[in-house]
């Protein structure tokens, strides 16, 4: 396996006063919130959004890259693994068999 970690850029906007508190955008600026539903819980837990120990008061923007880490193997997975966890316009990108 390559030591190169293949990641996907994303920007996360959080607004605790908005009806939809989390919005996730792709590198191109497309709203990918619906396609990144599996990230919501990790974002909420990481920022402690549902506790008295929140990491911010009302709004914040996170900018970074998402990748898949295999806890059992203790390693970062190839980019194709990301595609198994997120969708594009509600559809998986046809990768279920290409990286098993």
């Amino acid at each position: 396996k390559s030591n190169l970690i293949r990641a996907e850029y994303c920007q996360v906007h959080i607004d605790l006063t908005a009806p939809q508190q989390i919005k996730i955008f792709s590198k191109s600026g497309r709203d990918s919130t619906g396609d990144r539903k599996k990230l919501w819980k990790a974002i909420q837990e990481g920022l402690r959004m549902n506790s008295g120990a929140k990491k911010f008061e009302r709004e914040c923007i996170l900018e970074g890259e998402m990748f898949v880490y295999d806890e059992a193997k203790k390693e970062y997975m190839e980019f194709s693994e990301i595609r198994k966890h997120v969708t594009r316009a509600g559809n998986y990108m046809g990768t279920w068999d290409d990286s098993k």
Side-chain angles (χ1 to χ4, degrees), residues 37-99:
K37 288 179 184 176
K38 291 184 179 183
L39 293 177
W40 296 3
K41 183 177 178 184
I43 292 166
Q44 290 170 333
E45 289 175 357
L47 295 175
R48 300 180 185 150
M49 289 173 60
N50 299 321
S51 77
K54 287 189 287 294
K55 296 287 187 177
F56 62 99
E57 289 295 319
R58 194 182 107 193
E59 298 175 330
C60 75
I61 295 175
L62 306 173
E63 191 163 332
E65 296 179 334
M66 65 178 164
F67 55 88
V68 176
Y69 183 76
D70 186 323
E71 296 263 347
K73 294 179 182 177
K74 305 289 187 212
E75 66 182 23
Y76 296 99
M77 305 304 290
E78 296 292 327
F79 179 74
S80 59
E81 294 296 317
I82 293 172
R83 299 179 338 182
K84 291 180 181 180
H85 296 274
V86 298
T87 60
R88 297 282 190 268
N91 297 306
Y92 288 98
M93 297 190 304
T95 62
W96 290 107
D97 295 321
D98 70 355
S99 63

Side-chain angles (χ1 to χ4, degrees), residues 27-39:
K27 185 175 184 176
S28 67
R30 184 174 82 72
D31 186 343
S32 300
T33 307
D35 292 334
R36 306 297 188 267
K37 288 179 184 176
K38 291 184 179 183
L39 293 177

Side-chain angles (χ1 to χ4, degrees), residues 1-6 75-78:
K1 280 193 173 181
S2 165
N3 288 331
L4 179 65
I5 300 170
R6 294 177 180 94
E75 66 182 23
Y76 296 99
M77 305 304 290
E78 296 292 327

